[in-house]
Amino acid sequence: MITVSNLAIQFGKRVLYKDVNIKFTSGNIYGVIGANGAGKSTLLRAISGELEPTKGTIEMGTGERLSVLSQDHFKFDSETVLNTVLMGHTVLWDLKNELDVLYAKPDFNDEDGMRVAELTERFTDLGGYEAESDAAELLSGLGIKEHLHYKLMGELSGKEKVRVMLAQALFGNPDNLLLDEPTNDLDLETVEWLEDYLGNFEHTVLVVSHDRHFLDQVCTHTVDIDFGKVTMFAGNYSFWYESSQLALRQAQNQKLKAEEKKKQLEEFIRRFSANVAKSRQTTSRKKMLEKLNIAEIKPSTRRYPGIIFQMEREPGNQILEVDGLSATADDGTVLFQNLTFNVEKGEKVVFLSRDPRAMTALFEIINGNAQPTAGTYKWGVTITTAYLPLDNTRFFDCELNMLDWLSQFGTGNEVYFKAFLGRMLFKDEDVQKKVGILSGGEKMRLMIARMQLKNANCLILDTPTNHLDMESIQAFNNNLKLFKGNILFASHDHEFINTVANRIIELTPNGHIDKLMNYEDYIRDAHIKEIKERLYDNANV
């Protein structure tokens, strides 16, 4: 349990929030949301003790242990992977080290023996003798293979380090757990593992994430930082988003009577309460949704960019033909081979692979930026494309300001291009900024504005939610669901895939799987297939 009392955080004259009084209780998972700069990570830093609040107190239950997902991926470079995980339980780690020192003493005496007996009892009570196997199990669940467990952290890739740091935070079943962007650099399968793990976690969790599906699957509550306040709501992210949008529509409809507003809100809550069991959290832990005070629902102050893709011309029946296409990475790894498929009108195809380089290679090839190892591709004569690459570095290697940069990609006057920039939430004073100094999120919004100028009828998107905030992801997702043309994309965002794609093509080094279905049906079928194969293998042992 974590109790926050009269908390205020201020930097200079800027007040992030004040008068925060919230209790985070055991058995619940709290998703912390808010616009960029609202203070989501700052709240977690204050709770962890890393940041001293301007005012107020933060207390945990007596004897409770706090664990935090570390953002410093170089801190443990000289430690082995397994030891790095074990160090997540500081009490257990300190006991182990003290025992090791005592056992190594050349002049071990009776007093040392009594101390060893005392430490051993505590070590046993904390599960010390099962610690290494528990840590190894966590690592394996997060995709860190056994042969890496005794390597030094400094030998791991950045993505592998992220997974080890997550295992460190989860290790030892902490009473209170703080996770800041835990799904970053995790593949979809590992995110699902984490959802299952947290779904069975019985203590207190606060999590900051831009992954809407993840928040929906694990969170019992949403903590919204808005209006300079920190407000807790029962329910997950989708409930918060839909309810805030409903409240906004009601606020805009001045003629709507109070009784009609109340009726709409009550119906909305009933509908969400009925669907809430779909998440990985148990229904009983979400009963609080029914107790929500409808007066608490308010329109959000969030600003959503105007992401609107329009087609200049209707596509014909021939979209894209791919025949026998193969690609190999620079290190000789076969990414895919003999890839053959036709894209039909209206299809929105997501490409999946255990190696994300496969999708990038495919998109670079069909955009004419790279050559395949073998095979051909052909676009229909009516097709125009707009491409959002994974790496946009080359586009910003210049000294242009935003306005001049965007003007390269279309025809029109200054007012025309400023309108596009305004839709992407850039203010008048922003347009003179040099593009080279922009953040990753700002560059992505410029790339999306560039795509909109093309009025293409086929969009090609390589991991489009990278660097975007929740509001931009939501706006992007909403428009792609309505887009009438074709979309070819790759993503690690479950919600994005499931709500946009109507066809799945999974690339492998030995072939591909091609299914006309949405993503959740595809996962369900894959799980059923896996269970059948396991039963068959067991029957033949």
Side-chain angles (χ1 to χ4, degrees), residues 209-385:
S209 177
H210 286 149
D211 187 328
R212 298 159 300 156
H213 181 268
F214 176 73
L215 291 177
D216 280 350
Q217 288 293 90
V218 304
C219 290
T220 58
H221 295 74
T222 298
V223 178
D224 182 33
I225 302 178
D226 202 355
F227 303 101
K229 298 179 180 179
V230 181
T231 309
M232 185 190 297
F233 298 95
N236 58 20
Y237 171 78
S238 286
F239 179 82
W240 171 85
Y241 174 73
E242 295 294 345
S243 62
S244 68
Q245 293 297 299
L246 174 60
L248 178 61
R249 291 192 296 272
Q250 290 186 341
Q252 292 170 342
N253 187 351
Q254 300 295 330
K255 296 179 181 179
L256 200 62
K257 294 179 181 179
E259 279 302 311
E260 182 62 24
K261 285 185 180 182
K262 183 178 178 181
K263 184 178 178 182
Q264 286 183 3
L265 288 169
E266 287 176 338
E267 175 57 33
F268 172 77
I269 292 168
R270 276 195 296 272
R271 178 165 54 84
F272 244 91
S273 296
N275 293 333
V276 89
K278 291 180 180 178
S279 82
R280 296 189 188 277
Q281 296 291 343
T282 61
T283 308
S284 61
R285 290 169 73 180
K286 296 213 170 179
K287 291 286 187 182
M288 70 287 292
L289 192 63
E290 298 163 5
K291 302 174 184 176
L292 181 70
N293 181 356
I294 58 175
E296 293 176 353
I297 300 177
K298 296 178 181 179
S300 170
T301 62
R302 309 281 207 290
R303 296 179 65 216
Y304 294 82
I307 300 177
I308 304 170
F309 292 105
Q310 296 176 322
M311 301 185 298
E312 190 169 310
R313 66 179 295 182
E314 187 79 15
N317 291 325
Q318 185 182 347
I319 310 298
L320 174 66
E321 295 179 3
V322 172
D323 185 18
L325 213 60
S326 300
T328 305
D330 292 337
D331 62 4
T333 304
V334 175
L335 300 175
F336 56 84
Q337 60 182 339
N338 198 27
L339 180 62
T340 300
F341 63 88
N342 288 340
V343 177
E344 303 294 333
K345 190 173 181 179
E347 287 185 340
K348 299 177 180 180
V349 187
V350 64
F351 294 87
L352 307 175
S353 174
R354 291 185 180 274
D355 189 338
R357 295 177 299 175
M359 286 84 78
T360 297
L362 174 62
F363 295 150
E364 287 293 298
I365 289 167
I366 64 175
N367 277 282
N369 300 328
Q371 292 298 314
T373 308
T376 61
Y377 69 93
K378 181 181 179 182
W379 289 101
V381 294
T382 64
I383 302 306
T384 54
T385 63

Side-chain angles (χ1 to χ4, degrees), residues 75-242:
K75 182 178 179 181
F76 302 94
D77 276 0
S78 60
E79 300 287 346
T80 66
V81 168
L82 198 61
N83 279 351
T84 300
V85 177
L86 295 174
M87 291 166 77
H89 194 325
T90 53
V91 176
L92 189 65
W93 181 252
D94 290 343
L95 284 172
K96 177 182 180 299
N97 286 337
E98 189 174 350
L99 282 168
D100 289 345
V101 169
L102 287 169
Y103 282 130
K105 284 184 68 174
D107 55 345
F108 190 89
N109 55 36
D110 290 344
E111 186 179 340
D112 293 330
M114 292 175 64
R115 179 61 176 162
V116 164
E118 178 190 342
L119 294 176
T120 300
E121 183 178 359
R122 291 175 60 197
F123 189 74
T124 303
D125 290 343
L126 290 172
Y129 292 106
E130 299 82 42
E132 287 199 6
S133 61
D134 290 345
E137 186 178 346
L138 271 176
L139 286 167
S140 297
L142 287 163
I144 302 297
K145 303 297 183 185
E146 192 173 346
H147 73 275
L148 295 175
H149 292 186
Y150 293 95
K151 283 186 174 289
L152 293 179
M153 285 287 286
E155 299 178 61
L156 269 56
S157 69
K159 290 185 178 182
E160 288 168 338
K161 284 184 179 182
V162 167
R163 294 165 187 242
V164 177
M165 300 315 298
L166 182 53
Q168 183 192 69
L170 299 175
F171 177 66
N173 199 28
D175 302 288
N176 301 291
L177 179 60
L178 307 182
L179 301 174
D180 194 350
E181 297 293 354
T183 62
N184 277 5
D185 291 318
L186 300 184
D187 58 29
L188 289 161
E189 187 176 343
T190 310
V191 171
E192 186 176 347
W193 177 91
L194 182 59
E195 289 170 358
D196 283 331
Y197 184 93
L198 293 177
N200 294 312
F201 193 75
E202 296 179 349
H203 302 300
T204 306
V205 184
L206 274 73
V207 57
V208 172
S209 177
H210 286 149
D211 187 328
R212 298 159 300 156
H213 181 268
F214 176 73
L215 291 177
D216 280 350
Q217 288 293 90
V218 304
C219 290
T220 58
H221 295 74
T222 298
V223 178
D224 182 33
I225 302 178
D226 202 355
F227 303 101
K229 298 179 180 179
V230 181
T231 309
M232 185 190 297
F233 298 95
N236 58 20
Y237 171 78
S238 286
F239 179 82
W240 171 85
Y241 174 73
E242 295 294 345

